[in-house]
Amino acid sequence: MREGQIRIPSGCAISGVFDRSGRRMSGDAIIRSMEVMHDRSNGLGGGFAAYGIYPDYKDYYALHVFYDQALARKECEAFLERHFDIINLSKIPTRKMKAITDEPLIWRYFVAPLPTRLADSQLDEREYVVKCVFRVNREIEGAYVFSSGKNMGVFKAVGFPEDVGRFYRLEDYEGYCFTAHGRYPTNTPGWWGGAHPFALLDYSVVHNGEISSYDANRRAIEMHGYTCTLLTDTEVITYIIDYLHRRKQLTLTEIASVIAAPFWQTIDRLPDDQQASFIYLRNVFASQLLTGPFSILAGFEGGLMALNDRLKLRSMVVGEKGDKVYFASEESAMRMIEPSLDHVWSPRGGEAVIVRLNGGNTSGC
Amino acid sequence: MAVNYYDPEYEVVRLDERCISCRVCERQCANEVHSFLPETGKMASDETKCVNCQRCVSLCPTHALKIVRSSNQYKDNANWSRKTMNEIYRQADSGGVLLSSMGNPEPYPVYFDRILLNASQVTNPSIDPLREPMETRVFLGAKPESIQRDDTGRIVNNLPPQIDLAMPIMFSAMSYGSISYNAHESLARAAEALGILYNTGEGGLHEDFYRYGPQTIVQVASGRFGVHPDYLNSGAAIEIKMGQGAKPGIGGHLPGRKIVDDVSRTRMIPVGSDAISPAPHHDIYSIEDLRQLVDSLKEATHYTKPVIVKIAAVHQVSAIASGIARSGADIIAIDGFRGGTGAAPTRIRDHVGIPIELALASVDQRLRDEGIRDRVSLVVGGSIRSSADVVKALALGADCVYIATAALLALGCHLCRSCHAGKCNWGIATQVPELVKRLNPEIGYQRLVNLMTAWQHEIKEMMGGMGINSIESLKGNRLMLRGVDLTAKELAILGIRHAGE
Amino acid sequence: MKRVYVNEQWCLACHLCEYYCALAGTSQTDMARALKGITIRPNLRLEEKGGISFAVSCRHCEDPVCVKSCITGALTIKDGLIAIDRDLCIGCYTCILTCPYGAVSPSTDGAVQKCELCVQTEAGTPACVRGCPNGAIVFEERG
């Protein structure tokens, strides 16, 4: 049994740290932050997303791929060669650990779309990459691309998150932003691809919750060319964010008011001009509304958005210290790595907390 | 008097110890079943005339009456049922097509009854509608393909005309003529009080009801009765009626005796003339013709009204719906084979068309497969009997449902299926003034408001149980459904799993 | 003051008001038992002619001639309600003669009977109003 064959409800722990100055920090801190929340996971999934970790290859898409067997790798690499210029390829360095077993082959490729193929496809470059990722995941048995952004990467496995972080030697990476996830599924998937974060291009999502709108969201997003293979909330939320941000060019604030839309009774109290835009968004993007409990950290190039469901049915706190902003399911997870926070608050349901690099590229955000 | 080959269907049972001979039954029966015998001071019945509308039973102040199926029996025969035999006797008598009213009563599977809903346990919380907001507002209409912004970056409202509903239920088409003025007034006023819409049906709009315009869907059917520019512009939306679930493929016939003064003026036809709606629209022999009518109606209303195209659920319904979605329609209404009617040939009603649940599931999936689901909203009718049916229809993929039979039941209808006789004892499907006055719209509208309010409460309870607090998250959410007692094929068409999976 | 009014537009001439009135005049709740085999003597009567019908009962006039004509003081008006004290009534029927609406009638025990808005028998709404199936009899405040 693996993800995608059945839908598995999960509880979770999430944590994130973002340095607005862009100063890079080691991945060690985020591991320690997750370790405190050990009991919020049950050892059946953990993972990290790290931004700013590949400065030497920042212009190339970093594809992280799981292979069940060598044959899948051969097939996948042949596909990648037909569609991309592969600048660099290697196994992702890992550490042998008792707590992490049954690892697949884990490879990393830095690639650029082949200019002729890209031109022939008549697609925008990012859409081209998305299409290729979907094709590998759908069509090549035993191959699974789980990270595809530039200058960022996802590292995930079956295990407790702190073990997963050490397995991937996260302390050897330096980035301006890390998010992390520990999973408490009610079932035993035992497949690494099903762990979180879930990512597409530079969008990554860690999520704690179980959205009741799942199948409404899934069927709606699949109409726009996305294929949901995992049957997880995180997958569908990532696609929704990609769809709204990249394809529909909504701002993050607008995205927040789509996926955690204010209640009509709140909208009714707003001045007319503001009302109009909320009504418009709720109407046009009705199928992208998420209901049920969630707290998510949505990472993207140069920024991070934290968001709770409209009723705040899942915990999430935010803390600040200088340029750094911390996010976690529990305050202890932030205090573990920064005991003297300047201030700590608990965002309201549906209230997006958006942080970006100072002076960074904020176009479209 | 000639011999009646068929036996009376019902028996009037009068409990002598309860009957006080108040003669209410006699006065209330337009079919003249009951009579008073002065010599005995007792009531008598002529059961051959009884249609089992239950008016006498409901009004009897001492509960002395019941109507039961006649215990008379033909010789047992598993092939030739009493119903079939009686139909043959009737046709041999009259030489005519058998007529019926209201929806298909035959024992075909009711898929809604084989679908069960989900609820939250442990892994996510259910939501209490008494404590938290629980939203049922829906918009119907096409959604724009792209987002446009002005120079300041603000989103420009580029939405095509929409329908804004307080809950995903509308009263479906019932013409003035087929139902009474008071029934129409009850529906219009209830729609206004509830923040939903009612539908004129194909009979035009009575001049008194123009003031309910924002609550009105004005229908354009093949007979084009009562259609003129003011009519089209008076409503919130325009519906082109291509078909009706109760009688796919055939037109309509409102007998001349129902074309009384007001009805004649509203329909723009002479008093006493039969109102015949042709089977097809004679300007629509193909899908490209439909596009022209859609465009004409939009032009006539300056592109301010969404256009609904209503079809009956038939075998190729998903392909047809896909064609309609590409024809400029904003909303597709699909009417299942259990949908009601004021009059239809019995054989058509009982043997043509398909169940709405299957039609809906396949249309919704087809439109998604083709990537055009956002171009149209889907409204389904054809026997939505309860709030549970509403929730199941939405989870299968509908944006909204149409109800009519349930609304008529709220007004007193007991499904005697004799609308075509024009002597509705409940004042609904009649134009006889002394019968029409039996439906006081003040009471009627309140009962409709009560019914819809009750359903809305129940919908909220079911949503809350699933952990859903906004109706849009229910739409197409088929994971919330499970089938029982269904074959693999049926489950595949419905796009749901079996219970236990 | 709330009074009984009729909306003749909605009257179906079903006569149920008369039966509910008659039942209210008994101390029973089961109409079949209370009214079986008797000729009812309700305090309101349905008038009908042609297609028009409506229930007629005491108007509780502001300046009632019945009260004026009552020689024993059995009929009184108090807070707008005209009531009958059956112990004082001697059955002279002057009130019956003078009432322009025919709303007072003889009873079986010698005294006259009339509508007293069910104040003695019903907590809230008069029985005829509650029993009317079509809202043709209402109990309401009108200016």
Side-chain angles (χ1 to χ4, degrees):
Chain A
M1 195 69 82
R2 71 195 248 176
E3 231 79 23
Q5 292 166 317
I6 50 164
R7 179 164 154 77
I8 301 165
S10 310
C12 304
I14 60 174
S15 181
V17 53
F18 188 96
D19 192 324
R20 287 177 289 207
S21 73
R23 260 191 304 276
R24 294 162 66 207
M25 62 195 121
S26 148
D28 178 54
I30 192 79
I31 296 176
R32 285 186 293 119
S33 159
M34 288 304 288
E35 199 157 24
V36 184
M37 297 190 287
H38 181 87
D39 281 356
R40 296 185 72 94
S41 313
N42 64 2
L44 295 175
F48 301 82
Y51 288 81
I53 54 171
Y54 298 134
D56 298 340
Y57 293 97
K58 65 183 168 46
D59 296 327
Y60 301 100
Y61 293 93
L63 305 182
H64 294 190
V65 190
F66 288 139
Y67 295 119
D68 289 350
Q69 71 280 344
L71 203 64
R73 186 184 135 212
K74 224 173 137 183
E75 197 183 337
C76 180
E77 285 180 356
F79 174 85
L80 292 179
E81 270 170 20
R82 284 200 302 280
H83 293 83
F84 295 96
D85 198 0
I86 302 176
I87 306 302
N88 181 322
L89 78 170
S90 65
K91 270 188 172 169
I92 293 182
T94 55
R95 170 187 280 132
K96 275 283 171 206
M97 292 177 61
K98 277 211 170 98
I100 305 289
T101 54
D102 295 332
E103 72 248 43
L105 305 169
I106 311 169
W107 282 73
R108 173 166 56 206
Y109 306 84
F110 292 101
V111 303
L114 283 177
T116 48
R117 291 296 287 243
L118 177 60
D120 286 352
S121 72
Q122 299 189 16
L123 295 170
D124 126 77
E125 181 184 294
R126 281 154 63 87
E127 184 66 23
Y128 176 89
V129 175
V130 169
K131 285 256 169 21
C132 291
V133 168
F134 279 145
R135 267 190 67 183
V136 171
N137 291 352
R138 205 174 43 227
E139 293 172 16
I140 302 179
E141 173 98 25
Y144 185 70
V145 181
F146 62 98
S147 184
S148 52
K150 284 181 179 174
N151 200 12
M152 63 81 69
V154 166
F155 304 89
K156 60 186 185 182
V158 173
F160 281 100
E162 59 271 22
D163 296 331
V164 173
R166 290 181 184 123
F167 170 80
Y168 278 109
R169 314 178 77 102
L170 218 57
E171 67 274 13
D172 294 345
Y173 293 87
E174 285 193 328
Y176 62 84
C177 168
F178 286 89
T179 63
H181 185 264
R183 198 167 181 225
Y184 200 130
T186 56
N187 215 317
T188 48
W191 182 51
W192 288 40
H196 302 172
F198 190 84
L200 184 69
L201 298 173
D202 58 304
Y203 301 103
S204 73
V205 172
V206 291
H207 151 79
N208 170 19
E210 185 194 336
I211 53 174
S212 52
S213 54
Y214 174 76
D215 213 32
N217 302 135
R218 176 188 70 83
R219 297 182 70 233
I221 204 72
E222 288 202 331
M223 197 170 75
H224 301 294
Y226 298 85
T227 314
C228 295
T229 51
L230 300 185
L231 299 186
T232 64
D233 295 348
T234 317
E235 177 189 42
V236 84
I237 294 172
T238 308
Y239 294 162
I240 285 174
I241 291 174
D242 175 65
Y243 171 73
L244 295 174
H245 195 238
R246 182 172 62 86
R247 306 246 309 253
K248 290 293 168 182
Q249 306 272 302
L250 294 191
T251 67
L252 290 172
T253 320
E254 286 165 349
I255 290 173
S257 68
V258 165
I259 64 181
F263 287 102
W264 289 117
Q265 62 191 47
T266 309
I267 294 173
D268 288 345
R269 286 196 296 265
L270 296 172
D272 283 354
D273 54 329
Q274 286 182 45
Q275 247 186 46
S277 77
F278 280 112
I279 295 173
Y280 179 91
L281 289 171
R282 282 203 67 173
N283 182 350
V284 176
F285 298 108
S287 300
Q288 278 74 42
L289 171 70
L290 307 179
T291 59
F294 67 84
S295 63
I296 58 172
L297 297 177
F300 53 93
E301 190 186 349
L304 182 68
M305 174 170 73
L307 185 65
N308 261 132
D309 65 271
R310 52 218 305 247
L311 287 178
K312 197 165 175 90
L313 296 171
R314 281 289 187 272
S315 57
M316 182 168 66
V317 283
V318 183
E320 267 184 309
K321 172 76 176 181
D323 283 327
K324 284 188 179 168
V325 189
Y326 300 84
F327 306 84
S329 302
E330 294 180 14
E331 192 175 330
S332 61
M334 305 190 302
R335 297 275 181 199
M336 183 67 204
I337 51 176
E338 183 48 74
S340 57
L341 292 162
D342 293 340
H343 72 292
V344 174
W345 77 99
S346 183
R348 280 173 294 130
E351 177 194 346
V353 178
I354 300 164
V355 291
R356 293 192 185 89
L357 292 177
N358 294 331
N361 171 25
T362 57
S363 65
C365 298
Chain B
M1 193 173 158
V3 178
N4 251 352
Y5 284 61
Y6 50 92
D7 63 344
E9 266 189 273
Y10 307 104
E11 258 169 48
V12 177
V13 176
R14 198 182 309 273
L15 302 173
D16 190 49
E17 74 273 16
R18 300 202 67 83
C19 178
I20 57 171
S21 299
C22 69
R23 302 173 68 179
V24 165
C25 49
E26 178 193 7
R27 297 188 186 100
Q28 289 293 301
C29 183
N31 298 311
E32 300 176 334
V33 170
H34 305 276
S35 55
F36 180 64
L37 305 176
E39 58 273 27
T40 61
K42 292 195 169 179
M43 303 301 300
S45 335
D46 177 356
E47 288 154 334
T48 60
K49 296 172 176 167
C50 180
V51 297
N52 195 2
C53 74
Q54 297 280 319
R55 177 76 179 179
C56 57
V57 175
S58 295
L59 265 74
C60 175
T62 60
H63 313 296
L65 283 172
K66 56 180 176 178
I67 310 294
V68 298
R69 171 162 283 286
S70 163
S71 56
N72 183 48
Q73 282 192 324
Y74 297 160
K75 193 162 185 170
D76 286 345
N77 192 320
N79 186 33
W80 291 92
S81 68
R82 171 165 151 186
K83 174 174 166 288
T84 308
M85 289 169 68
N86 278 348
E87 284 170 348
I88 286 190
Y89 297 138
R90 277 179 204 281
Q91 290 194 296
D93 256 8
S94 68
V97 167
L98 291 168
L99 278 183
S100 300
S101 314
M102 300 311 289
N104 187 338
E106 297 303 313
Y108 294 99
V110 179
Y111 287 96
F112 282 132
D113 292 343
R114 298 185 187 187
I115 295 175
L116 297 170
L117 295 169
N118 193 27
S120 301
Q121 296 290 297
V122 183
T123 56
N124 77 355
S126 43
I127 302 169
D128 184 348
L130 298 177
R131 290 165 191 271
E132 307 284 354
M134 191 59 68
E135 303 181 316
T136 58
R137 182 180 181 181
V138 288
F139 293 93
L140 305 182
K143 308 302 175 220
E145 300 263 312
S146 60
I147 302 298
Q148 293 165 347
R149 292 179 190 272
D150 64 17
D151 297 342
T152 65
R154 289 170 69 105
I155 293 178
V156 176
N157 185 355
N158 59 350
L159 271 169
Q162 304 280 307
I163 294 175
D164 183 352
L165 299 168
M167 64 176 110
I169 304 175
M170 300 191 289
F171 298 131
S172 63
M174 288 176 280
S175 70
Y176 175 46
S178 76
I179 61 169
S180 65
Y181 178 98
N182 290 341
H184 249 223
E185 182 178 335
S186 301
L187 290 164
R189 284 172 64 182
E192 184 176 56
L194 292 162
I196 62 171
L197 303 191
Y198 83 109
N199 188 315
T200 61
E202 62 169 314
L205 181 60
H206 192 285
E207 57 204 13
D208 293 353
F209 299 146
Y210 274 75
R211 65 198 181 93
Y212 299 107
Q215 256 62 53
T216 309
I217 296 170
V218 294
Q219 200 182 62
V220 174
S222 61
R224 304 286 152 88
F225 298 120
V227 176
H228 53 86
D230 287 348
Y231 168 76
L232 294 176
N233 280 291
S234 69
I238 301 170
E239 179 170 275
I240 299 172
K241 179 196 175 185
M242 296 303 304
Q244 183 175 346
K247 41 182 174 179
I250 67 163
H253 177 183
L254 190 66
R257 67 173 176 277
K258 281 193 174 178
I259 311 296
V260 296
D261 189 39
D262 255 8
V263 177
S264 121
R265 200 162 54 247
T266 305
R267 292 202 171 211
M268 307 192 308
I269 55 171
V271 172
S273 62
D274 286 3
I276 295 177
S277 303
H281 286 245
H282 281 302
D283 52 359
I284 304 177
Y285 284 0
S286 181
I287 188 82
E288 65 272 19
D289 297 338
L290 174 66
R291 175 164 208 115
Q292 294 197 9
L293 181 59
V294 170
D295 287 345
S296 309
L297 293 172
K298 287 192 170 181
E299 189 72 30
T301 51
H302 318 290
Y303 299 88
T304 58
K305 318 276 183 196
V307 170
I308 306 167
V309 174
K310 176 181 176 176
I311 52 169
V314 290
H315 301 177
Q316 288 289 341
V317 66
S318 49
I320 296 160
S322 163
I324 294 171
R326 297 170 200 277
S327 303
D330 301 279
I331 299 162
I332 302 176
I334 310 170
D335 196 12
F337 82 147
R338 288 182 183 282
T341 175
T346 308
R347 298 292 174 240
I348 302 276
R349 185 194 67 177
D350 295 354
H351 298 277
V352 183
I354 64 169
I356 190 59
E357 302 92 325
L358 302 180
L360 162 61
S362 79
V363 168
D364 176 66
Q365 192 55 51
R366 172 70 76 93
L367 296 181
R368 286 170 193 268
D369 290 347
E370 296 183 10
I372 53 175
R373 182 65 182 83
D374 287 347
R375 280 204 208 166
V376 285
S377 294
L378 277 184
V379 181
V380 298
S383 209
I384 300 292
R385 304 157 301 166
S386 69
S387 56
D389 288 355
V390 178
V391 170
K392 290 170 189 176
L394 262 59
L396 281 174
D399 290 272
C400 177
V401 303
Y402 259 148
I403 63 160
T405 301
L408 296 189
L409 260 55
L411 297 178
C413 170
H414 278 65
L415 287 179
C416 72
R417 310 199 292 266
S418 317
C419 316
H420 54 287
K423 291 194 287 188
C424 175
N425 274 319
W426 292 90
I428 301 166
T430 178
Q431 301 301 328
V432 179
E434 49 270 34
L435 296 177
V436 171
K437 77 191 292 192
R438 293 185 182 182
L439 177 57
N440 180 346
E442 189 64 35
I443 297 172
Y445 113 88
Q446 190 60 53
R447 291 182 63 84
L448 288 167
V449 170
N450 289 349
L451 177 71
M452 289 298 94
T453 307
W455 283 23
Q456 188 179 26
H457 276 300
E458 292 175 337
I459 290 169
K460 289 178 177 184
E461 291 284 354
M462 285 180 266
M463 284 166 57
M466 293 186 255
I468 287 174
N469 57 8
S470 195
I471 198 93
E472 50 262 52
S473 294
L474 182 60
K475 181 178 124 181
N477 198 335
R478 295 188 184 175
L479 215 49
M480 290 297 173
L481 304 175
R482 289 290 188 279
V484 279
D485 196 19
L486 292 173
T487 65
K489 189 70 188 175
E490 289 167 323
L491 291 166
I493 293 167
L494 290 166
I496 63 172
R497 291 167 182 240
H498 201 276
E501 278 190 296
Chain C
M1 179 191 144
K2 275 187 165 182
R3 290 166 201 268
V4 170
Y5 295 96
V6 293
N7 296 323
E8 72 271 15
Q9 183 190 0
W10 303 118
C11 178
L12 311 178
C14 68
H15 292 252
L16 275 174
C17 47
E18 295 175 349
Y19 284 84
Y20 283 106
C21 179
L23 177 64
T26 73
S27 52
Q28 300 190 49
T29 51
D30 182 344
M31 190 184 287
R33 201 175 301 169
L35 305 182
K36 177 80 182 163
I38 60 165
T39 306
I40 59 164
R41 307 177 70 89
N43 290 326
L44 92 175
R45 293 280 178 184
L46 195 94
E47 301 284 342
E48 51 185 319
K49 193 168 186 185
I52 298 175
S53 60
F54 48 87
V56 179
S57 63
C58 174
R59 299 290 203 267
H60 297 276
C61 308
E62 278 176 20
D63 191 14
V65 285
C66 59
V67 173
K68 268 189 205 155
S69 69
C70 180
I71 58 172
T72 65
L75 282 167
T76 54
I77 177 162
K78 198 174 167 190
D79 301 329
L81 175 82
I82 298 167
I84 170 89
D85 181 335
R86 300 168 78 88
D87 292 335
L88 290 180
C89 177
I90 55 166
C92 72
Y93 294 175
T94 315
C95 50
I96 296 177
L97 290 169
T98 57
C99 175
Y101 303 104
V104 190
S105 54
S107 73
T108 47
D109 62 4
V112 298
Q113 63 172 49
K114 67 175 293 301
C115 165
E116 294 176 280
L117 297 178
C118 290
V119 286
Q120 274 96 35
T121 51
E122 295 284 340
T125 318
C128 54
V129 174
R130 290 191 301 128
C132 177
N134 205 37
I137 312 179
V138 293
F139 187 53
E140 59 190 32
E141 198 89 47
R142 285 188 187 174

